[in-house]
Each structure stands twice: as structure tokens, then as C-alpha cells.
Amino acid sequence: MRNSIALFLGLSFACASPQKSEQELFSEQQRELIAAPAEIAKTEELPELEKTLIVQGLVDIASVIPGIRVELKYSTEDNFFGKDVYGDHVRAYLQPVVAEMLRKAQESLQQDYPNLTLLVYDGVRPLSVQQILWDDLDKPDSIKPLYVADPKIGGLHNYGVAVDLTIYDNESGKPLDMGTAYDYFGYPAYPDREKQMLAEGKITKTHVSNREILRKVMIGAGFTGIGSEWWHFNAFSRKEAGEKFELIK
């Protein structure tokens, strides 16, 4: 392929008028031919999981949302399961329409708080990964759905329409304090229990205020939250996701 390109360019130069500069001799088509091998090589260097996500039409959010930060918690052991299930996959992917919604949330946040940015903990979760989490969860099958979606059915993360995230303060160099860690399963993490947790001293007004900043920009961009996790937001309902998208393998 490269030899063919070189021969083609060589013939172009041989037939060209000597008055033309080298820059003029390169057409847009020729530039694309030269760039193609580099683009192919770049794709080939991606982890296998990322390749499958791209084939299924998902997008890397960092490539379309300026300034957003990503720390995939399931590519670390800092999660409820205490297990790295993503390996060398460290980028967050979502359905294109959901990534666009998230871009609007990021713009809204930075318009009001230029020093803050969204920090994504998880995006699409392929069914292959969901199965690992399901199998490794040390709970009876009857209550496992309280912690993780059954891979036989799939959840919104498995469609690429749910995102887990927080807010990062670029000035302090750390996330805002939301009162609990990510993947904390208890009432202090429940948006629905905030008044009760405030009264009991389990969380503070600052924690609630920080969560409200996150809720405001996400809901304003079209997302909906859930009652038991301050970090989780959905772009579509389960019914809508099933009608619009395929489960991600």
C-alpha cells in the first residue's frame, strides 16, 4: 500500500509543472491516502474491548467533550466489587446521542463554574463485563438485582445510555465531597434520603449542595437521576432504550 502511494506521488511530481510548489502538488485526496495507514494503526492499538464498542457505534466521550475527565472505576479496584474488570480499557464510551447530552451538561457546568468539570466513573458496560460482576457478587441470586443488573436482561449501562459521574474541582485537584464514595450502598448515598440523612448527621448541607450542582446540570441536559445513587443518571427509560438501541456485547 505504501509503495503504491509513493509511486503515485512520484509520478505526480514527474508530470507536474516546475513552477508549482511541493505544497500545491498534494491534493486533499493524496493527503487522505497518506494519513490512512496512521489512522488504521491508531485503531489497531486500541484494547480489544474498545474496538468492539466502536464497531457497535459508541463514541469515546473524551473525544467529543472538551475538558471532561474520566476515571473508570471498574478499571481499578476502587469499586463495590473490589475488582478490575476492564483491564487496559480506560476510556468511557456512550451512545452518540447520550454523549451529546453529556456535552451540554459539561458546558452548563463550566458556564456557571469555570473551575469545575465533570468526572466520569462509568459509561457503557458491555454484557460481557456485566456477567463478570453478576457471577462475582457474593449475594443470593434473588437479591443480586439490588446491586447489579442481571446480564440476561440487561440494564441501562448495558445499552450505553447511563453514566456514573461526579464533579471535579480543577483548583483543588480533587472531586467535590458528595458525602459518600462512589458505589456506596447505603442511605447516605440515597438522594431520596437526604433530608433524613441530614437530620441524622450522616451527611452535611455542603454535601447536598454539591449533589444539587450535579443534578442541576444533568437534569438540565435531559438526564434523570435515581433515588439510591447520587452518581447515576439515565438518558432514557428502560423501555425507550430497548426501542432505540441494542444491548452492547
Side-chain angles (χ1 to χ4, degrees):
M1 176 67 177
R2 291 180 178 174
N3 290 337
S4 298
I5 295 172
L7 177 59
F8 175 71
L9 294 179
L11 291 172
S12 297
F13 285 129
C15 297
S17 169
Q19 283 78 26
K20 288 188 177 181
S21 68
E22 180 176 323
Q23 183 67 26
E24 290 174 320
L25 293 173
F26 279 85
S27 68
E28 192 64 33
Q29 183 179 11
Q30 290 166 341
R31 290 178 185 278
E32 291 176 359
L33 285 170
I34 293 172
E39 290 301 316
I40 293 171
K42 183 178 179 181
T43 303
E44 289 176 346
E45 291 172 0
L46 292 175
E48 288 301 318
L49 178 55
E50 286 192 51
K51 293 179 186 178
T52 65
L53 298 179
I54 292 170
V55 167
Q56 293 175 85
L58 302 178
V59 297
D60 172 11
I61 64 169
S63 69
V64 295
I65 306 176
I68 200 165
R69 299 179 70 95
V70 174
E71 180 189 345
L72 286 191
K73 288 295 188 178
Y74 287 99
S75 193
T76 73
E77 295 181 356
D78 183 20
N79 54 65
F80 174 74
F81 299 89
K83 183 173 183 178
D84 178 353
V85 292
Y86 282 150
D88 55 359
H89 169 57
V90 295
R91 296 179 179 87
Y93 282 75
L94 290 170
Q95 295 288 353
V97 64
V98 183
E100 176 60 19
M101 292 168 63
L102 192 60
R103 183 186 64 79
K104 292 178 180 178
Q106 168 79 341
E107 289 177 350
S108 176
L109 175 64
Q110 297 204 308
Q111 181 176 358
D112 293 338
Y113 305 92
N115 62 306
L116 302 181
T117 187
L118 296 176
L119 169 59
V120 173
Y121 287 146
D122 201 20
V124 67
R125 194 180 303 155
L127 288 177
S128 57
V129 172
Q130 195 76 18
Q131 188 67 57
I132 294 172
L133 298 181
W134 179 268
D135 293 341
D136 286 359
L137 182 58
D138 188 19
K139 303 283 183 183
D141 282 2
S142 59
I143 66 171
K144 280 186 178 183
L146 296 175
Y147 301 91
V148 61
D150 186 340
K152 293 179 181 178
I153 302 172
L156 293 177
H157 275 295
N158 307 131
Y159 282 100
V161 299
V163 59
D164 295 342
L165 76 173
T166 189
I167 294 175
Y168 187 88
D169 187 337
N170 288 317
E171 291 184 354
S172 69
K174 58 184 180 181
L176 296 186
D177 188 352
M178 299 294 188
T180 75
Y182 170 68
D183 258 8
Y184 179 88
F185 289 96
Y187 285 162
Y190 282 37
D192 285 356
R193 295 273 185 163
E194 285 175 352
K195 289 184 179 179
Q196 176 189 343
M197 294 296 99
L198 273 171
E200 295 179 8
K202 300 292 179 63
I203 61 175
T204 69
K205 289 183 179 180
T206 297
H207 297 146
V208 175
S209 295
N210 289 341
R211 295 179 187 186
E212 287 178 343
I213 295 173
L214 180 60
R215 286 196 286 261
K216 179 183 177 182
V217 299
M218 293 300 286
I219 292 172
F223 290 90
T224 57
I226 63 174
S228 58
E229 299 174 358
W230 58 257
W231 56 83
H232 181 101
F233 292 86
N234 299 321
F236 298 98
S237 68
R238 180 68 170 73
K239 181 176 183 296
E240 289 172 326
E243 292 172 347
K244 294 175 180 289
F245 309 104
E246 298 289 335
L247 285 165
I248 303 302
K249 301 294 193 290

